[in-house]
Amino acid sequence: MSGKIIECVPNFSEGRRPEVIEAIVAPFRGRQGVRLLDYRADADHNRLVVSLAGEPGPMTKALLEACEIAVKEIDLNMHQGGHPRIGAVDVIPFVPVMGIDMKACVDLAREFGMRFYDAFKVPVYYYEEAANNPQRKNLEKIRKGQFEGLKTAIKEESRRPDLGPAALHPTAGATVIGARKFLIAFNVNLKTDDIEVAQKIAQYVRASSGGFCHVKGIGLVLKEKGMVQVSMNLVDFQKNALYRVVEMIRMEAARWGVSVAECEVYGMIPAQALLDSAAYYLQLNDFKPEQVVELALLGSGGEA
């Protein structure tokens, strides 16, 4: 790949049917100009997160093919899962990586939104940097009430979609499309099955209720693991590092006599985010990314 490179992380409301998951991912495999970096399906969340990098043209063509399968196969009237959602194709963000700036990603998001609506007649909301309304920059505000609540709320003037009528697609709901910075999906699983603990801690760490800036979080039950989870999105890891969030969760969990079982990175993560936390926990003095052999080789034009 060369020239303009973007990252895209489409989220689909399917995490339990392997045949549907594989059908959605198939258009991204072996595609010139598109690299499938990672995909993860979670049964408790009932959600599929796909991480892609590539050129805008091939990327959007593959996305439309995957979305066609998702719209056809996913019925939100039958969908149950821990993660908030309003659409079969729930959210599609475009992220500038190389040779392209945020403004171009905003234009790409809006153009793709029109193609998406024309193809599937699923209402579209624009969010983050592509939002037409400042009140819609935050994804959680658009998803308030989820699919079930939005069926009625969509008729309100403030909840009308950017594209399409004031009515959800009967089975595929609505889709949120936008442009944003790199986001880290990061989960902390706790050694308890008490959902109140996870919900309280999520409240303490997320920005919307007075926690860390640039952190979004909810508490979820992980039935398969017999634990609960603080599920988060870190929308600017350079301003609030992973280690800072983890240590806050450890401290708050201790109030209930609960410890951290494990942490999860869901999808892709920048090397810098991991190195920052490694330097903190190892108490490295004046550590620089250039001290990592592979990063130094890449920075000098070599191959790791």
Side-chain angles (χ1 to χ4, degrees), residues 148-165:
E148 293 78 8
L150 193 56
K151 287 181 180 179
T152 302
I154 197 172
K155 302 182 188 302
E156 302 170 11
E157 185 62 31
S158 63
R159 302 295 300 275
R160 290 178 65 92
D162 291 290
L163 297 176

Side-chain angles (χ1 to χ4, degrees), residues 228-265:
V228 296
Q229 178 183 89
V230 182
S231 179
M232 294 168 288
N233 285 339
L234 279 65
V235 299
D236 194 332
F237 72 90
Q238 292 175 316
K239 294 182 179 177
N240 262 315
L242 288 174
Y243 68 80
R244 193 171 299 132
V245 177
V246 171
E247 290 306 307
M248 176 69 166
I249 291 174
R250 289 190 202 278
M251 182 181 71
E252 292 294 341
R255 297 171 60 194
W256 283 276
V258 172
S259 60
V260 171
E262 60 189 7
C263 297
E264 302 173 347
V265 174

Side-chain angles (χ1 to χ4, degrees), residues 131-204:
N132 289 318
N133 182 339
Q135 297 299 316
R136 290 185 178 170
K137 285 182 69 72
N138 293 328
L139 182 59
E140 58 266 32
K141 290 187 177 180
I142 298 174
R143 283 202 302 227
K144 182 180 179 181
Q146 299 197 53
F147 171 72
E148 293 78 8
L150 193 56
K151 287 181 180 179
T152 302
I154 197 172
K155 302 182 188 302
E156 302 170 11
E157 185 62 31
S158 63
R159 302 295 300 275
R160 290 178 65 92
D162 291 290
L163 297 176
L168 293 178
H169 185 283
T171 58
T175 296
V176 188
I177 299 173
R180 59 162 173 75
K181 292 182 178 181
F182 199 99
L183 174 151
I184 300 173
F186 185 71
N187 304 324
V188 177
N189 298 340
L190 304 175
K191 291 182 180 179
T192 178
D193 59 1
D194 188 346
I195 184 58
E196 183 180 1
V197 174
Q199 290 173 337
K200 283 289 187 182
I201 294 175
Q203 179 183 339
Y204 298 148

Side-chain angles (χ1 to χ4, degrees), residues 38-291:
D38 183 80
Y39 71 99
R40 293 168 188 257
D42 185 274
D44 287 315
H45 289 231
N46 203 0
R47 193 172 186 83
L48 168 66
V49 178
V50 182
S51 298
L52 309 164
E55 301 164 15
M59 176 83 75
T60 52
K61 185 176 180 180
L63 278 169
L64 286 172
E65 292 178 16
C67 290
E68 181 178 10
I69 296 164
V71 169
K72 178 182 177 182
E73 297 292 340
I74 300 171
D75 183 350
L76 284 191
N77 298 288
M78 308 297 292
H79 181 277
Q80 292 183 332
H83 203 288
R85 78 287 183 268
I86 61 171
V89 184
D90 193 53
V91 58
I92 301 177
F94 294 99
V95 182
V97 174
M98 183 176 70
I100 188 169
D101 60 14
M102 184 63 75
K103 182 181 182 304
C105 278
V106 168
D107 294 340
L108 177 64
R110 291 176 178 167
E111 178 188 358
F112 180 80
M114 289 187 285
R115 294 174 64 188
F116 178 89
Y117 177 73
D118 288 344
F120 310 118
K121 302 306 178 204
V122 174
V124 170
Y125 292 89
Y126 292 126
Y127 86 119
E128 286 287 354
E129 298 304 315
N132 289 318
N133 182 339
Q135 297 299 316
R136 290 185 178 170
K137 285 182 69 72
N138 293 328
L139 182 59
E140 58 266 32
K141 290 187 177 180
I142 298 174
R143 283 202 302 227
K144 182 180 179 181
Q146 299 197 53
F147 171 72
E148 293 78 8
L150 193 56
K151 287 181 180 179
T152 302
I154 197 172
K155 302 182 188 302
E156 302 170 11
E157 185 62 31
S158 63
R159 302 295 300 275
R160 290 178 65 92
D162 291 290
L163 297 176
L168 293 178
H169 185 283
T171 58
T175 296
V176 188
I177 299 173
R180 59 162 173 75
K181 292 182 178 181
F182 199 99
L183 174 151
I184 300 173
F186 185 71
N187 304 324
V188 177
N189 298 340
L190 304 175
K191 291 182 180 179
T192 178
D193 59 1
D194 188 346
I195 184 58
E196 183 180 1
V197 174
Q199 290 173 337
K200 283 289 187 182
I201 294 175
Q203 179 183 339
Y204 298 148
V205 299
R206 65 177 174 244
S208 63
S209 52
F212 290 113
C213 293
H214 314 293
V215 176
K216 303 177 182 182
I218 57 175
L220 299 174
V221 174
L222 302 179
K223 291 182 180 179
E224 291 190 352
K225 293 187 175 183
M227 295 188 290
V228 296
Q229 178 183 89
V230 182
S231 179
M232 294 168 288
N233 285 339
L234 279 65
V235 299
D236 194 332
F237 72 90
Q238 292 175 316
K239 294 182 179 177
N240 262 315
L242 288 174
Y243 68 80
R244 193 171 299 132
V245 177
V246 171
E247 290 306 307
M248 176 69 166
I249 291 174
R250 289 190 202 278
M251 182 181 71
E252 292 294 341
R255 297 171 60 194
W256 283 276
V258 172
S259 60
V260 171
E262 60 189 7
C263 297
E264 302 173 347
V265 174
Y266 210 80
M268 307 301 291
I269 184 171
Q272 186 65 58
L274 293 176
L275 293 175
D276 288 344
S277 290
Y280 171 81
Y281 285 115
L282 295 174
Q283 295 182 276
L284 299 178
N285 180 44
D286 196 28
F287 179 78
K288 297 178 177 60
E290 294 78 14
Q291 293 175 255

